[in-house]
Amino acid sequence: MTDPRPATPGADGDEVRRVVRETNYVTWRRQGGWNPLVVARAKDSTFWDDRGRAYLDFSSQLMATNLGHGNAAVVDAIAAQAHRLAYAAPSFATEARAQLSSALLGVLPKGLNRFFFSTSGTEANEAALKIARVVTGRTKVLSRPRSYHGATAASISVTGDPRRRPVEGLQTVPGTVFAPDCYCYRCPFGLTYPSCNVACAEYVDQQLEREGNVAAMIVEPVVGTNGVIVPVPEYLPRIREITRKHGVLLIADEVMSGWGRVGEWFAVDHWKVEPDILTTAKGITGALIPLGLTATTSAIHDEFRDRYFPHGHTYEAHPLTLAPAVAAIGEYRRLDLLEKSRRDGEYLLQRLREIQGRHPSVGEVRGLGLFAAVELVRDRSSRLAFNTEEDKLAGRPLVAEQVAAAMMKEGVFCVAWVSHLVIAPPLIVTREELDHGLEVLDRALAVADAEVRTGAVA
Ligand SMILES: Cc1ncc(COP(=O)(O)O)c(C=O)c1O
């Protein structure tokens, strides 16, 4: 598909790439060898580079543009708010703030009715962790190894994935205790569901019994970047019971799993779990403007009625970020995207299972709604992964990244992380686009299959 619109006059792609490469940091990688694609524009599930070449966005950029690119209602809301009132200090009330707060009451899990607005998922979690620690007066936080919760001190400290390691002890805060993942394909106890009796949840009961001084447990209800890991049905309800029993707050990090991605407003809705704090960002505006949300119960808010609330940002409750979220919620409803995500998600998983059958390098496919992972293995029987988290940090070539690169050559963008691919197209993706992306994935997996046979990549 070629870009229907004319090129921007004067925009020289090579010059754009040169200036950006020579003046910017790029996130989460070695800086050398960065050669970014120039993204010129985007619409719906497609983006175009500076040469007019189209790419199907099979991961919604960073699992964020749930409404697709350029949603007119959201864009118009940004423009209208910019003209009317672009900024007001957070101590003021604004109409956008009232409208979004009312709208949130209609979509969030029951009991979450006090809001703190920031501008990223990281900030949403940083606020949640601070609130949990201040309210309980306790310091420890339970998290899980396969998790990402953000880039700043407290949020990276409760992050289990390799991004924590380079700053461990340099810019982390003490107090993280890791609980077992609910990851059946690689069960930390070597058990099999359901005869395991969900040992990963029961172990948390023992941990909380012994640890003491635990303020909260933070979970991605469906783990995102670290594998699109869907818990067994008993897991989260049991974690809710256990945390409640020990008087420990439950923080649901729905930065990636929220906003229809898994076929409900929020992943916890699948299991009717009511966390004490829910954090989100990304899909709240379809990523068209940066917004983070920390939602708490009124019981938590009450704790600050006569106590100093020790948190805030200049851009807290920034009107320009709030008005588009109201429009976004309207669009999720108008386009019936929760139901579409459920329906297309079943189709996606069924097609992925067929693909798995053709490729020895595919160890497992899993997912919920329009959120799926293809986990690659060198050896299906032993489940040996092609690459490790150390390989990722060391910048070694990763088989999953080579598969993603082969897809990119065919015009499909798909995020790869250590040993899996994350499939998360915009929720508005058409069946034809879904089929096209899957056909390209099917072909690209030959790259990984070849490594199964030769074992050439260490
Ligand atoms: C589950 C989860 N929490 C927190 C974050 C951090 O969000 P942000 O990158 O907006 O700071 C992310 C980002 O991918 C995420 O996936």
Side-chain angles (χ1 to χ4, degrees):
M1 202 193 322
T2 47
D3 186 349
R5 284 164 293 179
T8 313
D12 174 346
D14 291 336
E15 182 61 2
V16 169
R17 184 170 18 252
R18 186 192 68 74
V19 172
V20 173
R21 274 181 66 169
E22 292 180 6
T23 59
N24 284 205
Y25 281 91
V26 56
T27 53
W28 307 120
R29 54 162 288 160
R30 291 172 174 216
Q31 300 301 291
W34 182 40
N35 190 26
L37 184 82
V38 176
V39 176
R41 54 181 68 92
K43 185 73 188 131
D44 299 334
S45 302
T46 305
F47 64 90
W48 286 268
D49 70 12
D50 55 305
R51 284 153 214 247
R53 184 159 185 232
Y55 298 84
L56 173 63
D57 191 347
F58 224 31
S59 295
S60 302
Q61 297 298 298
L62 287 176
M63 293 67 91
T65 54
N66 294 12
L67 292 168
H69 297 270
N71 177 286
V74 178
V75 171
D76 289 350
I78 296 169
Q81 190 64 46
H83 284 294
R84 189 169 165 207
L85 175 70
Y87 179 70
S91 55
F92 293 113
T94 64
E95 195 178 328
R97 197 167 176 173
Q99 281 179 352
L100 180 57
S101 301
S102 302
L104 286 171
L105 293 173
V107 299
L108 283 167
K110 213 169 104 234
L112 297 172
N113 50 24
R114 300 292 167 149
F115 311 126
F116 178 84
F117 297 107
S118 54
T119 49
S120 69
T122 293
E123 287 171 313
N125 283 328
E126 202 75 14
L129 293 163
K130 191 188 278 185
I131 288 170
R133 287 184 163 120
V134 171
V135 156
T136 60
R138 304 182 209 133
T139 53
K140 291 185 192 171
V141 174
L142 236 62
S143 182
R144 299 177 303 171
R146 285 175 204 264
S147 63
Y148 179 68
H149 295 295
T152 53
S155 57
I156 198 75
S157 303
V158 295
T159 286
D161 91 11
R163 283 172 277 189
R164 192 190 70 254
R165 287 184 219 165
V167 295
E168 181 91 61
L170 298 172
Q171 188 147 306
T172 47
V173 298
T176 303
V177 179
F178 285 107
D181 291 307
C182 182
Y183 182 23
C184 296
Y185 186 66
R186 299 185 186 282
C187 174
F189 300 102
L191 298 172
T192 306
Y193 177 80
S195 58
C196 63
N197 291 324
V198 198
C200 48
E202 295 310 320
Y203 191 77
V204 171
D205 194 16
Q206 294 177 39
Q207 282 187 295
L208 292 182
E209 199 72 52
R210 283 196 316 271
E211 285 292 343
N213 193 23
V214 177
M217 178 167 184
I218 184 165
V219 294
E220 290 174 73
V222 170
V223 173
T225 308
N226 286 276
V228 191
I229 304 170
V230 184
V232 298
E234 298 89 339
Y235 177 80
L236 282 170
R238 186 69 187 119
I239 289 291
R240 177 65 285 192
E241 271 173 20
I242 292 167
T243 46
R244 200 166 267 145
K245 172 179 149 194
H246 293 277
V248 165
L249 298 174
L250 180 62
I251 304 172
D253 175 350
E254 298 251 14
V255 170
M256 199 176 277
S257 57
W259 305 104
R261 176 54 62 202
V262 298
E264 296 281 355
W265 285 110
F266 297 95
V268 286
D269 297 337
H270 274 287
W271 304 284
K272 310 227 171 334
V273 165
E274 293 168 13
D276 301 291
I277 303 179
L278 183 146
T279 57
T280 192
K282 296 190 189 257
I284 190 169
T285 58
L288 299 193
I289 201 128
L291 175 63
L293 166 70
T294 308
T296 81
T297 59
S298 50
I300 291 176
H301 182 264
D302 284 349
E303 294 288 327
F304 292 103
R305 198 160 288 281
D306 299 312
R307 189 202 304 219
Y308 188 75
F309 181 69
H311 202 60
H313 303 290
T314 301
Y315 296 151
E316 173 195 338
H318 193 299
L320 208 50
T321 68
L322 305 180
V326 178
I329 291 173
E331 288 296 275
Y332 285 113
R333 285 212 171 94
R334 183 181 70 82
L335 299 166
D336 202 10
L337 291 181
L338 273 51
E339 170 56 26
K340 181 172 181 301
S341 175
R342 281 195 285 272
R343 211 175 42 240
D344 285 356
E346 279 169 28
Y347 176 74
L348 172 64
L349 210 52
Q350 174 216 318
R351 289 287 317 268
L352 286 175
R353 289 199 180 109
E354 288 163 21
I355 288 173
Q356 179 181 22
R358 289 192 283 276
H359 297 279
S361 60
V362 177
E364 189 180 56
V365 296
R366 52 180 176 260
L368 191 62
L370 273 174
F371 200 20
V374 175
E375 179 158 346
L376 304 177
V377 287
R378 183 185 293 288
D379 175 5
R380 252 194 203 164
S381 53
S382 68
R383 302 187 178 180
L384 177 71
F386 280 116
N387 293 105
T388 61
E389 295 186 341
E390 283 75 20
D391 292 338
K392 171 86 186 160
L393 281 182
R396 295 189 194 109
L398 306 180
V399 172
E401 285 177 358
Q402 288 162 4
V403 173
M407 292 176 73
M408 200 65 177
K409 272 200 194 133
E410 288 205 52
V412 176
F413 168 68
C414 188
V415 165
W417 184 253
V418 187
S419 275
H420 59 264
L421 297 147
V422 180
I423 299 170
L427 307 184
I428 57 158
V429 70
T430 64
R431 212 26 97 82
E432 293 70 32
E433 288 168 332
L434 211 47
D435 284 338
H436 172 62
L438 290 166
E439 279 154 26
V440 169
L441 167 70
D442 201 355
R443 281 195 289 275
L445 282 168
V447 172
D449 290 345
E451 301 302 334
V452 169
R453 284 197 295 276
T454 64
V457 173

